[in-house]
């Protein structure tokens, strides 16, 4: 493993994490990415920016979020002590508001009057619409038609908040296509518009900036676990789509060599072409939507179809810093299948009275699967990146299509004959 002293010095000035990252955008967007980078560098050195952001994160968003000991789940699994970092309790219901709030303040500093965003699960779209309403900026959200159907509640929420939700029907009509449309919009309206990208992905400075805006997750978790257990955790677990919630949890622990980190990707129906979104299981190095990273593509470089029961993880590429952390051995990456995720969704709901987002349930599924491999005196922190209100109808419909599960969950609406 590479010496830990160098990890938090990345990315370099050109946005590279080793061989990953960089800026791969049309020439018309180069000035916009440069402007954003320069403004972000000024803002991060400006105490007034940090003060305003911290104030809004506390008074408007609901930080700090609790670190909750999942006592019943711990007892049931018979393994390590399990804690949940409750990002699901934030305003709008997910960690996405951390990044959205920081970026809307940058948009204001740059004099932008309009923000655009992409969304898969809808949580980033809701967060963007929320902060746009708070500061009076025009807001347009691009969302794949398939995701709009499975996340209909969030589509309605965005509309109530004053955002225009634009359905994307091209290709697979999911997150990748939504990003494509947002980037086309940005090219056309670059003078007035800030692209409020939702994950630790895309051209520099987005992976760095989004990570920095989410590192509050790990900073809080570190303080809280030291207060509650008087020692660091043995394992951190988070779901990984683009990877913003995971890098936010991981980053403040990078120098703590005793703390293992596992990111959990979407295994879908299994690791077969078109049936999953686990980039580290079957991916290759490539360039997509502004950055160089691991992605799912065939031998000719064509992006493969993806699938996940969770819209937020249904994406063909992963954030470049995660690719780097995997290469140097600082973080490991596994996957959970749709079936494992649905079981975890129901298990956490019944054991702790906490309905997780399907994305977050991937991390729960990993811990359920591996709990008995760990000692009872060990400590695990799961990042509960979002709540499952948005998913209950989708899960109910999904379970209704699985006859073998109907008798096991008689109280779930839509699961009975």
């Amino acid at each position: 493993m590479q010496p830990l002293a160098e990890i938090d010095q990345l990315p370099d000035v050109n946005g590279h994490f080793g061989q990953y990252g960089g800026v791969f955008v049309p020439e018309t967007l180069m000035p916009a990415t440069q402007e954003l980078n320069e403004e972000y560098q000024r803002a991060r050195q400006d105490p007034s920016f940090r003060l305003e952001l911290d104030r809004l994160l506390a008074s408007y968003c609901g930080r700090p979020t609790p670190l909750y000991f999942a006592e019943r789940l711990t007892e049931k699994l018979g393994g390590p002590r399990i804690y949940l970092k409750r990002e699901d309790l934030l305003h709008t219901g997910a960690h996405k508001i951390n990044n959205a709030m920081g970026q809307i303040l940058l948009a204001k500093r740059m004099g932008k009057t309009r923000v655009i965003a992409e969304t898969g699960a809808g949580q980033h779209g809701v967060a963007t619409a929320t902060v746009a309403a708070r500061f009076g900026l025009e807001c347009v959200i691009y969302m794949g038609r398939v995701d709009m159907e499975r996340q209909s509640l969030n589509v309605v929420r965005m509309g109530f908040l004053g955002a225009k939700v634009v359905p994307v029907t091209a290709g697979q009509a999911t997150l990748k296509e939504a990003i494509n449309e947002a980037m086309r919009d940005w090219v056309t309206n670059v003078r007035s518009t800030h692209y409020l990208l939702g994950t630790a992905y895309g051209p520099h400075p987005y992976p760095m900036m989004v990570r920095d805006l989410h590192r509050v997750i790990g900073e809080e978790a570190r303080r809280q676990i030291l207060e509650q257990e008087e020692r660091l955790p043995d394992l951190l677990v988070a779901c990984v789509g683009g990877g913003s919630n995971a890098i936010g949890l991981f980053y403040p622990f990078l120098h703590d060599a005793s703390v293992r980190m596992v990111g959990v990707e979407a295994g879908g129906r299994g690791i077969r072409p078109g049936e999953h979104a686990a980039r580290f299981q079957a991916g290759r190095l490539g360039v997509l939507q502004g950055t160089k990273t691991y992605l799912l593509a065939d031998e000719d470089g064509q992006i493969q179809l993806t699938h996940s029961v969770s819209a937020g993880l249904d994406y063909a590429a992963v954030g470049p810093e995660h690719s780097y952390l995997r290469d140097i051995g600082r973080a490991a990456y596994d996957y959970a299948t749709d079936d494992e995720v649905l079981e975890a969704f129901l298990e956490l709901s019944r054991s702790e009275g906490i309905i997780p987002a399907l994305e977050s349930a991937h991390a729960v599924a990993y811990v359920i699967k591996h709990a008995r491999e760990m000692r009872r005196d060990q400590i695990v922190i799961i990042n509960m990146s979002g709540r499952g209100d948005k998913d209950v109808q989708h899960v109910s419909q999904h379970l209704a299509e699985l006859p073998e599960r109907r008798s096991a969950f008689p109280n779930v609406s839509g699961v009975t004959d």
Side-chain angles (χ1 to χ4, degrees), residues 133-146:
R134 167 63 179 78
F135 289 99
L137 273 66
E138 180 186 352
C139 181
V140 177
I141 308 294
Y142 291 92
M143 191 172 190
R145 175 68 74 182
V146 170

Side-chain angles (χ1 to χ4, degrees), residues 212-374:
D212 291 350
L213 292 170
H214 281 305
R215 64 184 293 178
V216 64
I217 302 170
E219 289 170 348
E220 287 180 5
R222 200 175 195 282
R223 290 194 302 270
Q224 290 165 329
I225 199 66
L226 288 172
E227 290 170 359
Q228 295 184 49
E229 292 281 357
E230 299 185 339
R231 71 179 184 87
L232 293 176
D234 298 281
L235 176 64
L236 306 175
V237 185
C239 65
V240 176
S244 63
N245 91 92
I247 202 64
L249 178 64
F250 294 173
Y251 191 71
F253 292 89
L254 287 180
H255 288 286
D256 301 304
S258 65
V259 180
R260 292 195 300 121
M261 304 174 182
V262 175
V264 187
E265 299 184 286
R269 303 185 189 100
I271 308 303
R272 301 180 299 276
E275 299 294 324
H276 69 97
R279 292 64 50 101
F280 291 128
Q281 303 301 318
R284 62 183 68 212
L285 183 63
V287 174
L288 179 65
Q289 293 173 330
T291 197
K292 180 187 289 187
T293 188
Y294 266 85
L295 50 82
L296 293 171
D298 61 24
E299 294 180 356
D300 296 321
Q302 297 300 307
I303 302 302
Q304 293 179 328
L305 298 178
T306 58
H307 164 77
S308 173
V309 70
S310 59
L313 304 187
D314 195 353
Y315 184 56
V318 65
E321 190 163 10
H322 287 292
S323 294
Y324 176 72
L325 292 178
R326 177 180 180 268
D327 273 11
I328 66 172
R330 185 61 191 96
Y333 296 84
D334 207 323
Y335 67 92
T337 65
D338 286 353
D339 286 348
E340 292 169 337
V341 168
L342 290 167
E343 294 287 356
F345 178 95
L346 293 165
E347 182 60 65
L348 188 66
S349 300
R350 301 290 173 86
S351 295
E352 296 291 344
I354 297 172
I355 301 176
L358 282 170
E359 291 76 17
S360 311
H362 282 70
V364 178
Y366 175 89
V367 173
I368 290 174
K369 186 174 182 179
H370 295 280
R372 293 193 180 276
E373 301 168 9
M374 299 183 68

